[in-house]
């Protein structure tokens, strides 16, 4: 079994949880490598809808190990609630099947406060973050003043570190953001308690993963957010603060690139985006509204309505290039059954010129107009389709055109949220 990275190829919400859940059956370990509670990975199984924020989507498969790597940022309160919710739904979550890196950074109360207050202050220029403290916690990590999961297990050094960091953060909160300062004792006690509650899961996950690879166990690396929200290759500054692309799989787990065999990009059959930032194939008005309602396009973490648009082959070619994507899982094709004409954006027009490469600077991207090809819709319900041969010919033509326009083979097509609503187009690549 190969080791495989599953990465979002658009602006997040591509259906990564659904695809990871599908492939998890065939691997031994699923590891999350970046992001935190800003992610909302939705899986529908046995009529239950489960939304995961930190915990890998492999947790729903019996006998699989779930690992939260060092690149993830943990909000202990949300993490513990997530465990309780899974247990209440009948899933096994314990120290045997869930491991958490001692190197992962911890989201502290001041990170959330700063995130929310900053967005308020920025007004029209806001990023549209999830308000989960993600930017500020990664900021502290890089500035070398972060608190790690392992720190919560060492009260004395944690106390000294928190005191120093809080002093600085309180100055920022009060002087710059005009908010109330936070109290040391309260945070210290709360987080020491979290340390007690999570310590059974905590370990050196890089060592664990490499040992398992040596024993020929197979690993699935589950990305959060998407390639176009990556801090380096996304539509900066309208991005998240981590390496959401496939490169993050190495830095976020401590597994070297020589151990990774394939990169599966997950893309929706159309495009969505939550929050601010350029989106060339966005559709406003009635059609955009219809797409949102048909696809249930509301954020699983924040409930915000997602912006909707047609499939963008330009940005997908780019995602494939910067992430080394070797195959695509195309999700939510069934949602397009409601449309008699479907468009694919195959190029952009910038100042009257046609461009085929995704621009590297936002000043160009935000002035790009989409160039569309129009394709006939199939207007048939796809929910009972089990084989590629049973797809309406227009749907097959749509899939073929996407493969051609992106230059990447489509391996999996998902036709609904539940596990069985899926077809494999190629011989099993695993
Ligand atoms: P999953 O893993 C879609 C977006 C936010 C905002 C930007 C920065 O479920 O696909 P942040 O809170 O990360 O600082 O916000 O990134 N964003 C997501 N959009 N899916 C996600 O996760 C996202 N996580 C963050 O809307 O535009
Ligand atoms: Mg989501």
């Amino acid at each position: 079994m190969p080791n495989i990275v599953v990465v979002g190829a658009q602006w997040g919400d591509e259906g990564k949880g659904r695809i990871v859940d599908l492939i998890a059956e065939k691997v031994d370990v699923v590891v999350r490598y970046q992001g935190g509670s800003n992610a909302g990975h939705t899986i529908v199984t046995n009529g239950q809808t489960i939304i995961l924020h930190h915990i890998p989507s492999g947790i729903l498969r019996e006998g699989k190990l779930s690992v939260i790597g060092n690149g993830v940022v943990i909000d202990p309160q949300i993490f513990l609630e997530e465990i309780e919710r899974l247990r209440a739904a009948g899933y096994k979550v314990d120290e045997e099947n869930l491991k958490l890196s001692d190197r992962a950074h911890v989201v502290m109360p001041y990170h959330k406060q700063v995130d929310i207050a900053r967005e308020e202050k920025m007004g029209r220029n806001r990023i549209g973050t999830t308000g989960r403290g993600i930017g500020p916690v990664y900021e502290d990590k890089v500035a070398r003043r972060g608190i790690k999961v392992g720190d919560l297990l060492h009260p004395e050094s944690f106390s000294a570190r928190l005191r120093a960091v809080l002093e600085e953060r309180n100055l920022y909160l009060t002087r710059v953001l005009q908010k109330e300062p936070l109290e040391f004792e309260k945070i210290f006690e709360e987080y020491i308690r979290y340390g007690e509650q999570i310590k059974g899961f905590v370990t050196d996950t890089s060592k664990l993963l490499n040992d398992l690879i040596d024993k020929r166990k197979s690993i699935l690396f589950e990305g959060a957010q998407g390639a176009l929200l990556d801090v380096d290759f996304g539509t900066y500054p309208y991005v998240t603060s981590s390496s959401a692309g496939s490169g993050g799989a190495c830095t976020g787990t401590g597994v070297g690139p020589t151990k990774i065999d394939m990169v599966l990009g997950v893309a929706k059959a159309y495009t969505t985006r939550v929050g601010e930032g350029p989106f060339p194939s966005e559709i406003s008005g009635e059609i955009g509204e219809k797409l949102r309602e048909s696809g249930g396009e509301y954020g699983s973490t924040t409930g915000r309505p997602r912006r909707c648009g047609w499939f963008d082959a330009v940005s997908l070619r780019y995602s494939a290039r910067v992430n080394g994507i070797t195959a695509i899982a195309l999700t939510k094709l069934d949602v397009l059954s409601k449309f008699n004409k479907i468009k694919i954006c195959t190029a952009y027009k910038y100042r009257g010129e046609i461009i085929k490469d995704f621009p590297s600077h936002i000043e160009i991207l935000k002035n790009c107009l989409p160039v569309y090809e129009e394709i006939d819709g199939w207007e048939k319900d796809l929910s009972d389709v089990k084989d590629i041969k049973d797809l309406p010919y227009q749907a097959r033509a749509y899939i073929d055109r996407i493969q051609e326009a992106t230059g990447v083979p489509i391996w999996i097509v998902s036709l609904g949220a539940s596990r069985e609503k899926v077809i494999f187009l190629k011989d099993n690549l695993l």
Side-chain angles (χ1 to χ4, degrees), residues 1 20 48 135 139 203 208 210 235 252 257 263 290 299 348 394 427:
M1 270 296 305
V20 169
Q48 271 180 326
E139 222 173 279
T203 191
L208 173 73
N210 282 286
T235 47
V263 180
K290 187 170 161 186
Y348 298 151
Q394 298 94 330
D427 287 342

Side-chain angles (χ1 to χ4, degrees), residues 11-14 16 38-41 115 127-132 134-135 223-226 229 238-241 273-276 300-301 304:
W11 278 289
D13 304 323
E14 300 92 348
K16 296 176 290 294
N38 51 347
H41 294 182
D115 192 4
I127 307 287
T129 73
T130 56
R132 299 297 182 101
I134 303 298
Q225 289 77 56
L229 288 170
Y238 300 99
V239 292
T240 192
S241 299
R273 172 162 209 172
V274 211
E276 308 303 315
S300 43
T301 298
R304 288 178 292 177

Side-chain angles (χ1 to χ4, degrees), residues 156-310:
E156 265 179 42
S157 54
F158 171 50
S159 163
R161 201 163 169 74
L162 178 63
R163 228 177 252 291
V165 178
L166 192 60
E167 196 183 316
E168 208 176 308
R169 278 304 186 181
N170 272 341
L171 271 179
Y172 185 70
L173 270 171
T174 51
R175 301 266 176 91
V176 180
L177 298 172
Q178 280 83 46
K179 296 284 167 193
E180 293 299 311
L182 298 176
E183 226 180 282
F184 170 84
E185 290 301 334
K186 201 164 156 259
I187 302 179
F188 180 70
E189 275 161 29
E190 184 184 346
Y191 277 71
I192 285 294
R193 223 172 24 248
Y194 290 144
E196 281 296 316
Q197 289 170 280
I198 64 178
K199 72 176 179 213
F201 302 109
V202 179
T203 191
D204 179 347
T205 51
S206 166
K207 168 141 178 53
L208 173 73
L209 290 167
N210 282 286
D211 286 349
L212 288 168
I213 291 172
D214 289 344
K215 289 184 191 146
R216 305 231 155 267
K217 300 288 183 197
S218 57
I219 318 272
L220 188 162
F221 300 81
E222 175 179 3
Q225 289 77 56
L228 304 177
L229 288 170
D230 180 273
V231 68
D232 284 282
F233 293 103
T235 47
Y236 195 89
Y238 300 99
V239 292
T240 192
S241 299
S242 67
S243 294
S246 59
C250 292
T251 54
T253 61
V255 173
T258 48
K259 305 282 165 66
I260 292 173
D261 305 292
M262 79 175 273
V263 180
L264 177 68
V266 185
K268 247 190 289 220
Y270 48 96
T271 312
T272 62
R273 172 162 209 172
V274 211
E276 308 303 315
F279 178 0
S281 67
E282 182 169 14
I283 330 167
S284 54
E286 221 174 277
I287 296 183
E289 201 61 45
K290 187 170 161 186
L291 206 44
R292 182 176 308 116
E293 293 313 317
S294 316
E297 296 297 350
Y298 293 88
S300 43
T301 298
T302 58
R304 288 178 292 177
R306 296 177 182 144
R307 298 155 66 191
C308 295
W310 297 116

